[in-house]
Amino acid sequence: MGININPFTWWNGASWGTMLGLRGKKRVGEDSLGNVYYEGGKDTAGNPRRWVIYKGSNDASRVPPEWFSWLHHHIEGTPDESGPPQRSWEKPAVPNMTGTALAYRPPGALEAGGHRVRATGDYEAWNPDA
């Protein structure tokens, strides 16, 4: 089914038109999530154009921070050659989990059981007669 849907959709990977548009562009790297990055040509300001081809669904939150910096011209070279070394306390980037079973559910959310800690004594209900 993937080969039949690919020419017409953009939300679940690169379409054939995108892949044809990348002809002659330079593949500069791949991140830990499998996304592939390209560079080539110039935009109207004279900066090199940069692309990401997502592995899987097209979701901008799936671009790691170091590659986001490269895509938006915050750094010139690829993260492998010009990025700072990763610190021991840094956590790996994770995509946005909203709408999935792994989404954050605060205490009291219906999906988390619907019970929350009772209010302390600092809350006083509004009374129209007061």
Side-chain angles (χ1 to χ4, degrees):
M1 182 157 128
I3 195 162
N4 294 331
I5 283 185
N6 186 272
F8 308 109
T9 61
W10 55 266
W11 54 85
N12 58 359
S15 66
W16 290 354
T18 302
M19 297 312 285
L20 288 173
L22 290 174
R23 286 179 300 154
K25 307 302 187 255
K26 178 181 160 195
R27 179 184 167 143
V28 295
E30 186 173 331
D31 64 22
S32 59
L33 299 172
N35 302 325
V36 182
Y37 299 88
Y38 292 89
E39 184 175 49
K42 300 276 184 194
D43 66 7
T44 56
N47 297 318
R49 295 197 61 158
R50 296 174 174 173
W51 292 269
V52 58
I53 302 299
Y54 299 99
K55 180 178 183 183
S57 63
N58 294 338
D59 181 7
S61 73
R62 295 181 62 236
V63 174
E66 60 273 8
W67 282 102
F68 177 90
S69 296
W70 178 81
L71 280 171
H72 294 273
H73 301 281
H74 297 165
I75 59 174
E76 281 305 309
T78 62
D80 302 336
E81 60 191 36
S82 66
Q86 187 162 358
R87 313 283 184 174
S88 62
W89 45 264
E90 288 181 310
K91 292 183 179 181
V94 294
N96 184 349
M97 295 297 168
T98 302
T100 69
L102 299 174
Y104 170 72
R105 309 276 192 238
L110 294 177
E111 296 89 353
H115 301 290
R116 64 177 178 86
V117 179
R118 293 188 52 82
T120 59
D122 63 349
Y123 174 76
E124 196 173 311
W126 178 76
N127 185 347
D129 298 328

